[in-house]
Amino acid sequence: MVHIVVDPVTRIEGHLRVEAEVDGGVVTEALSSSTMFRGIELILRGRDPRDAWAFAQRICGVCTTVHAIASIRAVEKAIGAVPPPNARLLRNLIMSAQVVHDHVVHFYHLHALDWVDLVNALTADPAKTSSLAQSISEWPLSSTSYFAGVRDRMKAFVERGQLGIFANAYWGHPAYRLPPEANLLAVSHYLEALDFQRRFIKIHAILGGKNPHPQSFLVGGMATPVDPDSQSALNMDTIAALEKLVADGMDFVSRVYLPDVLAIASYYKDWTSIGTGIGNYMAYGDYPEDDNENPALLLPTGVIHGRDLGKIDAVDHAKITEQIAHSWYDYSGGDGQALNPFKGETTPHYTGPKPPYERLDVTQKYSWIKSPRYGDEPMEVGPLARMLVAYSSGRPARVKQLVDKVLSTLGVGPDALYSTLGRIAARAIETQVLVESMGRWVRDLAENMARRDFRVQDNSKWEPSSWPNDCFGAGFLEAPRGALGHWVHISNGSIANYQCVVPSTWNAGPRDATGRPGPYEAALVGTPVANPAQPLEILRTLHSFDPCMACGVHVVDATKRELARVKVA
Ligand code: NFE
Ligand code: MG
C-alpha cells in the first residue's frame, strides 16, 4: 500500500489537494480537499442586491460571468423582475461564449498534456503528421512544412532548456500512448488554441466590454444598448462581427477540437471504463429559448440515479442541501445537519493540521468545500451530466446525433460515457452544440432589432420600494463545470443571507455525514497508477472534471499574515 499526496494539483483553477491509497497498482481510496477558504458569501451580506452580481462574479476568473448571471437570476426571482427577450439572447450569447471558450481552453491547455507527450512529439515525422492530420479533418493548417515548423520551434525550446511551464511534467511516462505524429498534431493545436482563446472571447468584449468579468449585467436585463442607428450600441456592424466570430469559432471546434478528441480517444479506449465514480448525474438545464415563465431550455434539466438512463427525474430544488460533517465549518444547529441553501450558514472553523502536513485524517474534517447532496445523494454535475440528460431525453436531437456519432466512431456503447474519457467527449460534444446555437441567437437578436424591439431591461422593479420587505430567490444556471445555484434572502432592501453551491462544490466535495465519498473521491477509486512517484493517471481522472477550487474558496493565509488591504473611498 502506497500513500500518494498530490498538492497542489496543477492545471486547474485554485487549490486542490488529493490523497490516494494505491494497492497493487490501483487507487483503492481517495480524499479530495480544498485547502483555501471562500468568503464571498459573507462579503455579500448587508449589500444592495442589485450590486451582488459584480461581487459574486469575482468568485472566479475562469468561469467568469456565470456567477454574475446566477446572482442576477436569484435577485430577479426574489423581486419579480422579468428580463425582456433581448436580454435573454444577450445572456445566452455571453454564457455560451464562456462555455465554448472554457471547454477549448480546458481540453488543450489544462488537460491535453495528460494524454499528449510533448517531448515525444519532437521525434515525429512531419510528412506522416500531415497525412494523419488530413485523414481526420479538412483543417487547412496541415502541410508537412507547417508541422516541421512547429516541431523545430519546440525543439529549439527544449534544446535551450526553456521548457518553462512544461518543465516538470511526466514526459516519457509509460501511460502515454500516442505515436509521435499524433503528439505533434496535438501540440500544434495546443498552440493554435492559444490564438483561438484570444479571438473567440472578443464576443465578451463586444457584449460586455471586457473579459474576464463582462460589465454589462443589470438586474432586470442587460446594460448592453441595442440600436441599429447608434454607433455606440449593438448595431448591424457589431452583429456582423459577432456572426464572423461565431463562424470562426465553429470552424475551430468542428474541424480541430472534436476531431482531436476522437483521434486521441482512439488510443486510450481503456479509459472508457476508468473513472466512473458515483453514477448519479444532475443538470439544472439552461439556455432559455423563449420568454415564458417556464421557458423551453436548449439543454434540458434532469436527475439520473445509478446510471439509469431510462428514468430521468425532474430536479426539485428543495431537495438540495449542504452537509459539513467533513468540512471546516460550524452549523449553529449542530454539524450533523443538512441545510437547504435558503437556510444555509457559512461559519468557517478550521480544525485541520497546521500546514505543511503529511496527511489529512479522513475521519475528521478535511476540506473547505462542503458536501452538497440532492435528496441525500451525491451528484456528479458538468458536461457529462448535461449530455447524459439530453441524450436520454432525446432533446436537443443534435446531442443524440453527436453522441451516437462519437460512440460509433470509437466502436463503444453508451456505457463508455460513464468514465474519464466520457467526460472529455461530452465536453467536446457540448461545445459543438453550443457554438451551433450561438449563430441562431445572434440572428434572433438581429431580427428583434429589425423589428425595432430595442428593450434590454425591465426596470419596473428597480426601486427597492417596489420589493416585498422580505423575499427569497434562487438562480440556477449551467456553468462550464456544471450545475450552479445562488440563493438570496433579501430583507428590507438588503441582502440578509447569500449562499452559492457551485459545480466544483458538487464534484470536489468531501465525504458526507454517512461517510459516502464525493464524485472526485469516488471516480479516483479503480484508477491504475503505474508509478506512484508520477501519478499521471490520477491527474487524468481529476482533470476530466475540470476542477475549479477558486469557485469554492477565497484567499486566506493560515499564518494570519495580511495579504492585501483594500480601501474603499
Ligand atoms: Ni471557477 Fe465554476 C464553473 C462555477 S466551478 S469555474 O464552471 O460556477 O465549478
Ligand atoms: Mg457555498
Side-chain angles (χ1 to χ4, degrees), residues 273-310:
S273 55
I274 299 170
T276 300
I278 48 172
N280 297 331
Y281 303 90
M282 179 172 72
Y284 295 153
D286 214 330
Y287 302 101
E289 296 281 22
D290 60 56
D291 301 282
N292 300 322
E293 196 178 339
N294 291 307
L297 300 173
L298 173 71
L299 299 179
T301 167
V303 179
I304 295 166
H305 291 277
R307 279 174 270 164
D308 180 1
L309 292 189

Side-chain angles (χ1 to χ4, degrees), residues 38 41 322 499-500:
R38 167 175 69 189
E41 289 153 324
E322 285 191 306
Q499 291 286 314
C500 319

Side-chain angles (χ1 to χ4, degrees), residues 48-99:
D48 187 323
R50 294 169 298 184
D51 294 341
W53 67 265
F55 291 87
Q57 177 158 233
R58 268 70 188 177
I59 285 173
C60 185
V62 168
C63 62
T64 166
T65 87
V66 296
H67 293 285
I69 298 178
S71 174
I72 282 180
R73 283 182 175 170
V75 173
E76 285 172 348
K77 268 278 182 291
I79 66 176
V82 181
N86 286 334
R88 167 177 59 82
L89 294 166
L90 289 165
R91 290 179 188 179
N92 280 359
L93 281 167
I94 287 187
M95 286 194 297
S96 53
Q98 155 64 19
V99 175

Side-chain angles (χ1 to χ4, degrees), residues 270-510:
D270 47 334
W271 285 84
T272 59
S273 55
I274 299 170
T276 300
I278 48 172
N280 297 331
Y281 303 90
M282 179 172 72
Y284 295 153
D286 214 330
Y287 302 101
E289 296 281 22
D290 60 56
D291 301 282
N292 300 322
E293 196 178 339
N294 291 307
L297 300 173
L298 173 71
L299 299 179
T301 167
V303 179
I304 295 166
H305 291 277
R307 279 174 270 164
D308 180 1
L309 292 189
K311 188 170 173 296
I312 308 272
D313 286 341
V315 176
D316 174 358
H317 297 115
K319 287 188 176 172
I320 296 166
T321 61
E322 285 191 306
Q323 302 187 11
I324 54 156
H326 291 280
S327 316
W328 290 310
Y329 297 90
D330 290 334
Y331 275 169
S332 54
D335 292 357
Q337 286 181 297
L339 298 183
N340 180 265
F342 275 134
K343 303 239 164 73
E345 298 178 15
T346 304
T347 310
H349 181 193
Y350 185 72
T351 54
K354 191 170 163 9
Y357 42 79
E358 301 251 310
R359 66 196 291 165
L360 287 161
D361 183 348
V362 76
T363 66
Q364 303 296 312
K365 296 190 176 221
Y366 64 88
S367 181
W368 281 113
I369 287 186
K370 296 176 181 173
S371 307
R373 292 293 179 264
Y374 179 80
D376 214 33
E377 292 279 327
M379 289 286 152
E380 174 174 339
V381 299
L384 176 58
R386 291 192 283 260
M387 292 304 99
L388 287 173
V389 169
Y391 183 68
S392 48
S393 320
R395 285 183 296 125
R398 187 69 173 132
V399 168
K400 176 134 180 50
Q401 198 185 5
L402 284 168
V403 170
D404 285 336
K405 184 179 145 202
V406 166
L407 294 177
S408 68
T409 306
L410 294 175
V412 293
D415 279 357
L417 293 167
Y418 311 118
S419 67
T420 299
L421 213 50
R423 288 185 196 97
I424 297 170
R427 196 172 283 112
I429 290 166
E430 171 170 271
T431 311
Q432 179 73 35
V433 171
L434 285 178
V435 79
E436 287 174 8
S437 304
M438 290 179 76
R440 182 161 48 78
W441 293 323
V442 174
R443 281 193 298 281
D444 287 352
L445 200 53
E447 275 171 28
N448 286 352
M449 284 161 72
R451 278 193 270 110
R452 304 198 72 75
D453 176 359
F454 306 150
R455 291 170 302 150
V456 289
Q457 192 209 7
D458 162 18
N459 61 7
S460 67
K461 297 288 185 326
W462 183 251
E463 291 304 327
S465 55
S466 68
W467 307 344
N469 281 342
D470 213 47
C471 52
F472 294 81
F476 300 101
L477 177 142
E478 285 296 340
R481 286 154 196 78
L484 167 66
H486 284 206
W487 285 257
V488 66
H489 171 200
I490 301 170
S491 183
N492 295 317
S494 64
I495 295 173
N497 195 14
Y498 201 99
Q499 291 286 314
C500 319
V501 183
V502 314
S504 292
T505 320
W506 284 100
N507 288 339

Side-chain angles (χ1 to χ4, degrees), residues 27-188:
V27 174
T28 53
E29 203 186 334
L31 167 163
S32 155
S33 170
S34 186
T35 54
M36 293 187 104
F37 167 65
R38 167 175 69 189
I40 299 261
E41 289 153 324
L42 303 179
I43 289 168
L44 280 166
R45 268 194 209 149
R47 292 188 186 274
D48 187 323
R50 294 169 298 184
D51 294 341
W53 67 265
F55 291 87
Q57 177 158 233
R58 268 70 188 177
I59 285 173
C60 185
V62 168
C63 62
T64 166
T65 87
V66 296
H67 293 285
I69 298 178
S71 174
I72 282 180
R73 283 182 175 170
V75 173
E76 285 172 348
K77 268 278 182 291
I79 66 176
V82 181
N86 286 334
R88 167 177 59 82
L89 294 166
L90 289 165
R91 290 179 188 179
N92 280 359
L93 281 167
I94 287 187
M95 286 194 297
S96 53
Q98 155 64 19
V99 175
V100 169
H101 180 263
D102 202 6
H103 284 358
V104 171
V105 171
H106 175 262
F107 180 68
Y108 287 102
H109 304 134
L110 302 181
H111 200 14
L113 299 180
D114 296 339
W115 310 93
V116 173
D117 187 332
L118 186 140
V119 172
N120 175 274
L122 305 181
T123 64
D125 174 345
K128 280 198 210 154
T129 311
S130 171
S131 319
L132 171 67
Q134 289 171 13
S135 73
I136 64 169
S137 168
E138 289 168 2
W139 187 242
L141 295 175
S142 64
S143 67
T144 301
S145 61
Y146 175 71
F147 290 117
V150 174
R151 187 197 57 183
D152 293 347
R153 204 147 41 112
M154 297 311 294
K155 238 185 196 158
F157 273 120
V158 174
E159 278 162 9
R160 275 187 255 126
Q162 283 184 322
L163 268 176
I165 57 168
F166 306 125
N168 289 322
Y170 303 142
W171 311 130
H173 191 288
Y176 281 120
R177 228 177 281 148
L178 298 185
E181 288 70 29
N183 280 320
L184 180 57
L185 178 67
V187 169
S188 304

